[in-house]
Amino acid sequence: MYDQLFSYINRYSETLLTPEDEALIKTSLKPASLKKKELFLKQGNICQFTGFILKGAMRQYSVDSAGNEHIIQLALENWWMVDRESYLMKTPSVYNIDAWEDTELLVLEADDLQRLLEIPTIKEMFWKMNQSSFIASQKRLNNSIALPAMERYEELIKTYPDFIQRFPQHIIASYLGISKETLSRVRNKRIQK
């Protein structure tokens, strides 16, 4: 179970984990599981954990006053899931996070993060992850305001092809910031090409 996480960490860092580092990680990240649609974080609560997904799929979303869901993030195996603002700032979350499939993960309490950041390999991994996350967020924001629906869908297929297989169309539409009907038209046009 931890080997998957160690492999992930070593991919993001030039410094390899020592056996002592691995032992500290094992005591800091605890196994957890969620059933499909079970909440990892409820809107209004403070995010207590970040989770590394070993198996399964999760989503982060807000709900507007009309009850419509707006997908902020989708995540699969070897991704981290957290409301970063709530986790780091200890503020109530404006998001829900739930499992879209039965999910196995390793969770890290916010209080244990500082201790792990003393490990050079972990510090380097988090630095690179944060850079990648920021770049991906900028691209997604730009795509949502600058690209028509067809190009957004094409970009999603190119960048995250597994999302199309693992999440239903209404979630994909929300993630892209378009209606289900628009997504249906886009998919039909794409098939006709």
Side-chain angles (χ1 to χ4, degrees):
M1 155 185 339
Y2 289 93
D3 288 342
Q4 187 175 338
L5 175 61
F6 296 152
S7 175
Y8 176 90
I9 292 167
N10 286 326
R11 259 196 335 263
Y12 273 91
S13 182
E14 294 175 20
T15 311
L16 297 179
L17 293 168
T18 66
E20 295 79 17
D21 296 339
E22 290 182 0
L24 180 58
I25 290 166
K26 285 179 180 180
T27 62
S28 300
L29 282 106
K30 307 285 189 241
S33 60
L34 298 168
K35 295 288 184 196
K36 183 176 180 171
K37 297 196 178 185
E38 185 177 349
L39 285 172
F40 180 70
L41 173 66
K42 183 177 181 182
Q43 181 180 355
N45 292 346
I46 294 173
C47 186
Q48 301 293 328
F49 303 97
T50 183
F52 178 77
I53 302 172
L54 298 168
K55 179 181 176 223
M58 298 177 75
R59 65 189 183 137
Q60 179 179 2
Y61 59 98
S62 62
V63 180
D64 65 23
S65 59
N68 299 311
E69 293 179 358
H70 302 279
I71 304 296
I72 305 303
Q73 180 181 359
L74 299 174
L76 303 171
E77 291 84 5
N78 296 316
W79 286 47
W80 292 88
M81 181 56 87
V82 65
D83 173 353
R84 193 174 298 184
E85 178 182 4
S86 177
Y87 183 74
L88 296 174
M89 306 302 288
K90 308 229 183 285
T91 56
S93 180
V94 297
Y95 304 111
N96 292 296
I97 298 175
D98 67 10
W100 188 253
E101 300 171 353
D102 289 349
T103 300
E104 302 294 324
L105 57 165
L106 294 170
V107 296
L108 175 66
E109 287 189 47
D111 294 339
D112 291 330
L113 178 61
Q114 265 324 110
R115 195 171 51 153
L116 283 186
L117 287 174
E118 293 173 14
I119 300 172
T121 308
I122 297 293
K123 192 172 190 172
E124 184 179 352
M125 176 202 69
F126 272 104
W127 173 250
K128 288 182 179 177
M129 278 177 31
N130 284 337
Q131 288 176 320
S132 294
S133 178
F134 182 75
I135 291 166
S137 293
Q138 275 188 313
K139 284 182 180 179
R140 182 160 177 236
L141 178 60
N142 185 61
N143 289 350
S144 70
I145 58 177
L147 296 181
M150 175 63 88
E151 290 180 41
R152 280 188 251 170
Y153 185 66
E154 293 287 348
E155 187 65 27
L156 178 70
I157 290 170
K158 183 175 83 176
T159 309
Y160 306 115
D162 290 342
F163 285 5
I164 304 300
Q165 305 303 316
R166 304 277 292 274
F167 293 99
Q169 294 306 303
H170 72 280
I171 288 182
I172 297 297
S174 176
Y175 182 80
L176 293 172
I178 59 178
S179 69
K180 292 180 285 186
E181 296 76 19
T182 299
L183 179 58
S184 181
R185 283 192 298 275
V186 163
R187 291 179 69 228
N188 287 337
K189 282 181 187 175
R190 190 170 186 274
I191 290 168
Q192 292 170 0
K193 282 185 178 181

